[in-house]
Amino acid sequence: MDSVAIALLAVCQWGLSGCEARVDPTTDTDVVLMTPDCAETQPLPTLGLMTGLPLNFPLGVDFANYARGEVDPPWQAKALGQCHKVIPLDTVAPIAALDPNAAPTNPLSNLARLAIVQPRGLSPQDNVALDDWVRGGGRLLLVLDPMLTGEYDLPLGDARRPNAVAFIPPVVARWGMTITFNEAQEFAARTVTIGDGEFAVLLTGEIEAAGHACLRNDAYPVQQCAVGEGLVTIVADAAVFEDEQLAGENGSAINALLAFAYDD
């Protein structure tokens, strides 16, 4: 996708002048058809979450007020908390201790489930740590949207603003997958299949996998592949993490996606 097309889509997605009216993303779209039942699961499994989207904390609020419970958490946090105990992560690479004689802290230790959703970027150390963790048996949900469709009331250049275009980490290619974006696709919601159900997407990427231990052998917005002893689920769209309507009642699409990525 060339820089001109990216710039034009970015301008249109934020609702600025000179673009056609936004399409209603819920038109003719059946939101998730499978809803996991996790209400009886105790204790809840732990989920590491690394993201550049405002999934843990609402944008534009004072953190002290949020910590005191004076501000409601985002709807995404409520959805994620239904089936998991969420641990926010800023990195997945080992963190050096202040004491030079002490061992580094491994953010992925004792984690079996990890979600990385539209990250601001993964360092070389993150890529290595992620590859090692997955091959050792970890289960990863990696959401990389080539063109976000959510609206964020923040100026361009604000550090809190999510990346409109995902940075594809090198580890994706190492796992035998590539992500492309068709700039000519229609700006309209549609459904894609995951397991026994479906969920809504909007302006997706297409994932192709070269491995033999993968769910599909064609280009599709969702791909799942065995990597070593672990499992990688990649989704080339983040709409259900941005749009409460597309996420379904109580964020059912998010939890269905997590169940698809982690449950046997």
Side-chain angles (χ1 to χ4, degrees), residues 131-142:
D131 188 41
D132 290 343
W133 177 80
V134 168
R135 293 182 186 278
R139 295 200 167 195
L140 170 67
L141 171 63
L142 181 58

Side-chain angles (χ1 to χ4, degrees), residues 35-133:
T35 303
D37 182 11
C38 54
E40 302 300 324
T41 304
Q42 294 295 333
L44 294 177
T46 300
L47 173 66
L49 175 62
M50 182 179 182
T51 181
L53 299 181
L55 306 185
N56 294 309
F57 310 109
L59 288 174
V61 302
D62 183 85
F63 180 77
N65 293 341
Y66 182 77
R68 289 194 294 265
E70 298 173 359
V71 179
D72 286 337
W75 64 267
Q76 298 97 324
K78 295 177 182 179
L80 290 164
Q82 290 176 17
C83 298
H84 290 87
K85 176 184 177 182
V86 179
I87 305 297
L89 300 175
D90 291 323
T91 181
V92 295
I95 304 169
L98 296 177
D99 182 351
N101 297 317
T105 299
N106 182 2
L108 297 178
S109 63
N110 302 319
L111 279 182
R113 303 180 178 196
L114 175 65
I116 299 179
V117 182
Q118 199 72 357
R120 299 195 182 280
L122 297 179
S123 69
Q125 294 82 4
D126 285 328
N127 277 263
V128 172
L130 196 56
D131 188 41
D132 290 343
W133 177 80

Side-chain angles (χ1 to χ4, degrees), residues 186-211:
E186 182 182 1
F187 184 61
R190 59 190 175 94
T191 57
V192 297
T193 301
I194 53 169
D196 297 326
E198 297 178 336
F199 75 106
V201 295
L202 184 61
L203 287 185
T204 73
E206 298 289 327
I207 307 165
E208 292 188 77

